Amino acid sequence: MKTPKRPLRAIAIVALLILLALFGYAAAGPYLAINGIRNAVANQQYGELWRFVDYPRLRESLGPQLQERVARGIIGHVGNAQASSTIGKVTALIAQPAIDTIVSPQGIATLLTGSALAQHLADDTGVSGTPRRNDPLAGATKRYESASLFTATVANAEGQPVVFEFRRSGLSWKLAGLRLPDL
């Protein structure tokens, strides 16, 4: 007995359309995450940022960078000869409160609205003469670095690049890293 080809063709077309829709959603994911962060901060709904920020991974990303900066500062003040293994412990102790502050809903909101990244936007006004919404990611250079890493790069007040890393988990994307500029 011959099987009908039309139902099989229709099923194949529907399956292909579903796959294309899923691929499109995954590809648009970083932009949806950026927009979600932007809207949550603009509406002061900081409790909703968990949907777009992976706090544990962001903490892992910032920890070593801040500890290195603190260690460089200590070594700069006491000199290399006096530096010891205790500097690592001291830097962790000093950097941890800063990491906890930055990697929180309020810290992310402050970073995006009240930080040096956003200072240059404070005096800008929109076409209607009203202050422009403070959105440092609006002019970011955005690109895929891999199938699971998307970056948005903005310049800080000194013109150095600050890179926001968005990582994919399944079909969703979240802010999971921050690359601070070199000192």
Side-chain angles (χ1 to χ4, degrees):
M1 182 168 193
K2 206 173 191 183
T3 59
K5 291 185 179 183
R6 286 188 188 194
L8 291 176
R9 189 176 298 157
I11 290 171
I13 290 173
V14 168
L16 180 63
L17 289 175
I18 289 171
L19 283 174
L20 286 174
L22 287 174
F23 178 75
Y25 179 76
Y31 297 97
L32 295 172
I34 289 171
N35 195 45
I37 291 171
R38 181 180 294 138
N39 290 333
V41 170
N43 297 324
Q44 297 181 350
Q45 296 175 333
Y46 308 131
E48 292 298 311
L49 285 173
W50 66 269
R51 296 173 51 202
F52 311 106
V53 179
D54 185 344
Y55 290 107
R57 287 180 80 178
L58 187 57
R59 187 172 275 109
E60 288 174 13
S61 167
L62 278 175
Q65 294 178 73
L66 291 178
Q67 288 177 0
E68 179 184 353
R69 287 170 185 253
V70 171
R72 282 187 196 171
I74 291 171
I75 290 171
H77 283 83
V78 299
N80 234 355
Q82 295 178 352
S84 70
S85 65
T86 58
I87 287 181
K89 295 174 187 172
V90 171
T91 57
L93 229 107
I94 294 171
Q96 193 58 46
I99 295 166
D100 291 341
T101 300
I102 293 170
V103 184
S104 69
Q106 187 64 42
I108 298 295
T110 301
L111 179 67
L112 293 174
T113 60
S115 70
L117 283 173
Q119 292 292 344
H120 66 279
L121 295 176
D123 296 329
D124 278 354
T125 55
V127 177
S128 64
T130 59
R132 186 177 294 160
R133 190 165 98 184
N134 197 356
D135 184 6
L137 291 176
T141 303
K142 301 168 188 140
R143 72 183 192 105
Y144 283 93
E145 290 192 10
S146 71
S148 60
L149 176 62
F150 180 87
T151 58
T153 305
V154 295
N156 66 8
E158 292 81 34
Q160 296 174 316
V162 177
V163 181
F164 292 81
E165 296 178 348
F166 292 84
R167 296 199 179 269
R168 183 178 57 79
S169 176
L171 292 177
S172 67
W173 291 79
K174 289 187 176 188
L175 176 63
L178 191 62
R179 292 184 220 154
L180 301 174
D182 294 330
L183 292 177

